Amino acid sequence: MDEVDLKSLVSSLTPQEENQSIKSYQNTVSVACPACDEPFEDLVVCKQNPTSLNLSMQLDLCVGVEDDRVLIFTHRQ
């Protein structure tokens, strides 16, 4: 996994949800995914390890890391 500059990345994203386990952001300006260089839909920052996610639809996922936190980039199929 590549190290991601989270502070720089989230400055371009719209905050969505935050709880004890995760913080999510929506990509409303088509920022490129650091893992695959394609625009992503949402970024999920895992605050705790392990963290589980309940997804309501099937998504393609890319993963990154920043300061030992897992970053999940979602892509709609």
Side-chain angles (χ1 to χ4, degrees), residues 26-61:
Q26 185 177 16
N27 185 4
T28 57
V29 293
S30 297
V31 173
C33 175
C36 71
D37 292 326
E38 294 293 324
F40 61 94
E41 300 295 326
D42 297 290
L43 165 62
V44 178
V45 179
C46 299
K47 296 174 161 183
Q48 298 179 343
N49 290 323
T51 298
S52 64
L53 299 175
N54 294 319
L55 301 175
S56 59
M57 66 181 78
Q58 189 171 358
L59 300 169
D60 288 334
L61 303 175

